[in-house]
Amino acid sequence: MIKTIARALTAAALALLPLATTTPAQAAETLSLHDGIEALPQAAESRDGYERTKFKHWIDEDKDGCNTRAEVLLAEAVTQPTLGTGCKITGGTWRSYYDDTTVQGPSGLDIDHMVPLAEAWDSGASQWTAARRQAYANDLGAERSLVAVTAKSNRSKADQDPAQWMPPTADAQCTYLSDWVSTKLRWSLTVDRAERDTLRRLAAGCENTDVEFERV
């Protein structure tokens, strides 16, 4: 995925959210995928009380006229689109790494929360403040948190974890595992037993894969 300075600038704005995180940002860490999986705390999951509206998302945090969805599209474009009035995006191309597909124009793309909002809720976000959930749902501070992919692949994934869904493209799977584990570590989210067992099993084929993250 091609990233641009736009994401870094928006990340700085997100950092100003009051009560968005419980602790200051920490230094970036790099672990092997295996060690990253073992660093994830294990806990039972519960979806009690979940509502998608509890994660306010696709906001224009830096007040530049472009919301989070648009910021991700601009950051990940392989061929830059045209940006019109009101942050209207036309043209451009993107590469959906889940299914190894090139997409022409933004209409065929969804912005996927790497760890879906419902899964985040199950894994600890139910205990967060509304401000921290908003920061999570609009996380431009890490390129692994949000990703532009085909609408088809995103809707196939829905709110499933790796025990239930993995990208259909074999070459994408180690990257996906790294992105998943990095996001959970970044936000101090837990895994359940089936999820951890699946991560361990799949990671056996990703010997040279690392996870990089900065806790918030």
Side-chain angles (χ1 to χ4, degrees), residues 60-123:
D60 178 12
E61 182 58 37
D62 60 2
K63 309 302 181 186
D64 68 349
C66 294
N67 66 16
T68 305
R69 171 184 163 80
E71 299 281 8
V72 176
L73 289 174
L74 293 171
E76 296 194 356
V78 176
T79 302
Q80 283 297 309
T82 299
L83 186 62
T85 302
C87 199
K88 183 177 181 180
I89 296 173
T90 56
T93 60
W94 288 263
R95 192 70 182 170
S96 170
Y97 91 84
Y98 288 1
D99 45 6
D100 194 23
T101 299
T102 297
V103 178
Q104 304 284 340
S107 62
L109 294 162
D110 280 355
I111 304 304
D112 183 36
H113 290 92
M114 175 53 56
V115 175
L117 301 181
E119 169 67 20
W121 178 271
D122 299 349
S123 306

Side-chain angles (χ1 to χ4, degrees), residues 24-54:
Q26 301 178 32
E29 300 178 52
T30 301
L31 299 172
S32 69
L33 178 57
H34 170 79
D35 288 347
I37 293 167
E38 298 310 311
L40 291 166
Q42 183 172 309
E45 294 186 353
S46 173
R47 196 156 297 184
D48 291 350
Y50 170 72
E51 296 176 4
R52 188 173 175 84
T53 55
K54 292 182 177 179

